Amino acid sequence: MFTLKNQPSELALVLYASRVAAGFPSPADDHVEGKLDLNQHLIRRPTATFFIRAEGESMKDAGIFDGDLLVVDRAITPRDDDIVIAVLHGELTVKRLRNPKPGWVLTAENPAFPDILLNDAGCDIWGVVTHSIRHHCAR
């Protein structure tokens, strides 16, 4: 379900200096900024990083959708408002960690899902989600 890897392989691909308009089109530049290695961009601590696929709709309002690949860093200390991977009753879940007084709560980013109070729930935080990768092309 997840992969641990000590040393990421290096693959530097072209990174264009211009940005692409998500609204109205703009003239394209042919200027190459340099090379981009996604390992360097997405993974700060390779030995503490793992990948896991999201399942379900509970985090859709945070932009995490069914099938997205999540990059998770175990070396980051979870804080209020972080999106985390947690183990709850032996099951993995991705939720936002909140600390409204008087205790910690796992909150879905979809109003159809209830909050989970972490008083005696036996929850273990596995890591903080740093990035999500979404597949846009069906082939």
Side-chain angles (χ1 to χ4, degrees):
M1 180 147 46
F2 64 90
T3 303
L4 292 173
K5 192 171 184 183
N6 290 337
Q7 294 295 334
S9 59
E10 186 175 319
L11 177 61
L13 301 174
V14 173
L15 171 63
Y16 288 93
S18 63
R19 294 179 182 251
V20 63
F24 295 103
S26 66
D29 289 339
D30 289 331
H31 186 268
V32 173
E33 180 178 329
K35 298 286 184 172
L36 173 69
D37 180 358
L38 287 178
N39 290 309
Q40 291 177 349
H41 185 71
L42 299 176
I43 302 170
R44 294 173 86 186
R45 289 169 284 278
T47 58
T49 300
F50 69 93
F51 303 91
I52 193 163
R53 247 188 232 284
E55 182 178 84
E57 301 295 321
S58 72
M59 295 300 289
K60 70 179 186 85
D61 292 347
I64 297 174
F65 298 95
D66 189 58
D68 285 358
L69 184 64
L70 306 178
V71 182
V72 183
D73 191 330
R74 291 184 65 118
I76 298 174
T77 301
R79 294 191 300 201
D80 183 40
D81 207 37
D82 282 343
I83 296 175
V84 299
I85 301 298
V87 180
L88 190 63
H89 305 297
E91 299 285 326
L92 290 173
T93 188
V94 57
K95 298 287 183 280
R96 188 170 301 277
L97 185 64
R98 300 282 176 148
N99 190 13
K101 303 304 180 211
W104 290 94
V105 175
L106 291 176
T107 303
E109 294 285 338
N110 180 339
F113 292 82
D115 289 348
I116 303 166
L117 185 60
L118 297 182
N119 53 7
D120 293 324
C123 178
D124 185 29
I125 305 297
W126 274 22
V128 175
V129 176
T130 58
H131 298 86
S132 62
I133 303 167
R134 182 168 310 120
H135 185 81
H136 292 280
C137 182
R139 58 185 190 294

